[in-house]
Amino acid sequence: MNRASLLLRLFPLLLLTACGGGVEPEPTASIESAPTARALALKPAPVVVAYCPSGASWDAALGFCADANNAYGPFTQAMTTACINSGAGSACTATTAYNVGPATLFLPRWSRGLARSLRGNGACPAGAVVDNALDGKCVETVGSTRNVYSVYFNDVISRCVALGGGNACYSTRWGASFYWKASFAHRLQNNLLAAWKGSGLPTVSVAVSTADQGEVYATVGSYAGNTVDPRTAQYRWASFTKHWTAVLLLKMQEAGRIDIDRPLNQYLTVPGLAYQSNMTVRMLMNHSAGVGNYLDLSPSFLNSTNSWRFYSDNDIVGYINEVGPSIYPGNAYSYSNGGYYILGMLIQKVLGVPIERAYRDWLIVPMNLNYSVLDVSSSPTNRLPGLVESSRAYAYSTTSVRADGALAASPGDAVKFLRAVHKNGFLTASSLADLRGPSVRNSNYGLGTIRFTDNATGVRYFGHTGTLLNYKNLAYYVPAYDAAVALTMNDYPSGSELDRIENAVFASVQQQYR
């Protein structure tokens, strides 16, 4: 069973109703033409680039740069040893400075005939073998040193330069470990592209935060005629907002502003809400408080939605009370958008500021997230300028889902948030353990956090899914790989398409860092 199928079995309400994933209200007003989000001009597909000395070009049959008379290294160690043994003397190891692309490299130069006679007749030069684990490149192992002999895609070369590889990036021999590192973004992009093809999804954007090379990005499709830039272009993140809200509440607890094990009514009185003296803040955070899930179950809410309606707290509380409690607090796990809306009201009451200001002051500014906002003000006539719009981006106002689903952020900001929280000490160790730890009524859910498990390896990772207004996303941190991943799209995929895309991204990260 794949991860998405497992989630559906463990969290049926989460995947079908989290932020309106199953019975989300249909739009009742037309949407204006979409503006251009922060994007990049459509980029050509990566191409293989062979940087060779002036007058030479890549000779695929030989496996080296060559001109009419000479071949240029670096050559394999096996070839160099054979050259020395042949009596060719110092010519086997002597190097000369050549201009190679923008770099100056010191390379050996042999006659074409000598190079041809020493390379052998295999797919790779003598001493090297095809290594499928390294993208089918020719690899020579000498003791503990492994080298790749090849030409490389232009995006891999650019990544090599960005990672500090210097002039060596323009050589045809790279250290295997450095090649693996520099080519991760290329593999991630290729795997995402293969999984996305045929899906019909307008765009899919991915960011991965890594320990060894910072953020890595991949994107497919286009929006308003441009390639989406995952560093800056915003998507709606739906129930991933709950993860942020839980972090904010734990920061408030660290600051002495709340105690999540105290009853809700010690901080906030909610008119008409059943059992509010019996539910703790923690119960609201782990979905065991039983607050009515208005977003899918309130007829009045479902009949009220349109592009122009803004919702007040009193409106949403009325819808919550219309649905009524699903359980007595603490008796069971019962996923509830209503519970997280109430938590947003609690934050506002304790801090004395609107929930969007609390997000800004407690999360967005301290983490230096430049492309994130809790969106409680956009509309068809007041669009978010950086939003990659879905066909229903403004079908109803996100004032209806404030702390349970109103986050708009770039994938790049999403992974920065995850790394800050799960790795870089934004929360204390105790708070992080609370965030991730299993709740009493659902061992696969913590505080605003899904406790994912990869079936094949048993690797645990932490984050949240999201579904809202034709946005679908998944964001998580994998401690075993020290990697944060944010994956989002601006339309609903089929189940098999979602599985294929999510699995391609997870497998890319797993292959790179396990």
Side-chain angles (χ1 to χ4, degrees), residues 188 192 204-209 215-219 230 235 237 240 244 409-418 462 464 472-478 483-489 501-502 505-506 509:
L188 178 66
L192 177 63
V204 181
S205 290
V206 175
V208 181
S209 173
E215 283 83 43
V216 175
Y217 302 99
T219 185
Y235 288 75
W237 286 88
F240 180 46
W244 292 51
S410 70
D413 270 9
V415 294
K416 290 175 184 175
F417 170 86
L418 287 166
F462 306 91
H464 219 289
K472 190 78 173 178
N473 44 62
L474 171 65
Y476 53 86
Y477 176 76
V478 192
V485 178
L487 162 67
T488 184
M489 54 200 78
I501 293 169
E502 288 182 353
V505 172
F506 186 87
V509 174

Side-chain angles (χ1 to χ4, degrees), residues 123-405:
C124 296
V129 295
V130 173
D131 189 334
N132 289 325
L134 278 172
D135 303 329
K137 298 294 186 185
C138 291
V139 179
E140 182 183 41
T141 302
V142 180
S144 60
T145 301
R146 302 180 74 228
N147 288 318
V148 175
Y149 292 83
S150 182
V151 286
Y152 307 98
F153 283 98
N154 59 336
D155 60 334
V156 177
I157 294 171
S158 296
R159 188 67 180 165
C160 173
V161 173
L163 291 171
N167 286 349
C169 298
Y170 302 99
S171 173
T172 54
R173 182 181 70 192
W174 290 10
S177 61
F178 192 83
Y179 168 77
W180 185 247
K181 179 178 178 179
S183 58
F184 172 52
H186 180 84
R187 273 191 303 280
L188 178 66
Q189 177 68 35
N190 275 359
N191 292 344
L192 177 63
L193 179 63
W196 167 78
K197 282 183 176 177
S199 68
L201 295 168
T203 72
V204 181
S205 290
V206 175
V208 181
S209 173
T210 70
D212 63 339
Q213 53 182 305
E215 283 83 43
V216 175
Y217 302 99
T219 185
V220 292
S222 64
Y223 174 70
N226 293 298
T227 299
V228 170
D229 185 349
R231 297 169 299 178
T232 60
Q234 296 169 316
Y235 288 75
R236 297 198 186 281
W237 286 88
S239 284
F240 180 46
T241 307
K242 294 177 175 66
H243 196 54
W244 292 51
T245 299
V247 170
L248 174 49
L249 287 161
L250 288 169
K251 287 297 285 186
M252 290 171 62
Q253 178 170 257
E254 291 175 7
R257 306 297 294 270
I258 61 170
D259 179 343
I260 66 171
D261 289 309
R262 290 184 178 176
L264 169 66
N265 68 348
Q266 289 193 18
Y267 302 105
L268 174 73
T269 299
V270 182
L273 182 67
Y275 306 132
Q276 58 189 290
S277 63
N278 304 103
M279 63 180 69
T280 64
V281 177
R282 181 186 295 273
M283 290 176 188
L284 288 161
M285 294 170 74
N286 66 25
H287 298 294
S288 64
V291 174
N293 194 13
Y294 70 98
L295 195 62
D296 297 287
L297 301 177
S298 165
S300 297
F301 173 73
L302 296 173
N303 291 329
S304 74
T305 57
N306 60 62
S307 300
W308 311 101
R309 170 75 184 271
F310 276 55
Y311 294 87
S312 68
D313 290 344
N314 286 339
D315 291 332
I316 302 302
V317 168
Y319 302 140
I320 289 170
N321 291 336
E322 177 184 37
V323 174
S326 59
I327 56 169
Y328 185 82
N331 276 5
Y333 171 87
S334 181
Y335 189 88
S336 174
N337 292 292
Y340 267 79
Y341 193 97
I342 296 295
L343 287 170
M345 294 173 60
L346 180 155
I347 291 168
Q348 293 182 137
K349 177 68 180 298
V350 172
L351 297 182
V353 297
I355 184 63
E356 65 273 20
R357 173 72 179 272
Y359 256 61
R360 189 192 74 184
D361 293 350
W362 286 70
L363 300 176
I364 292 170
V365 171
M367 294 187 193
N368 196 29
L369 306 178
N370 296 318
Y371 305 100
S372 299
V373 63
L374 194 70
D375 174 30
V376 294
S377 61
S378 70
S379 71
T381 56
N382 182 33
R383 293 179 132 94
L384 285 176
L387 186 67
V388 179
E389 294 184 9
S390 72
S391 61
R392 299 182 58 224
Y394 300 100
Y396 60 89
S397 171
T398 50
T399 55
S400 63
V401 290
R402 300 173 189 264
D404 47 315

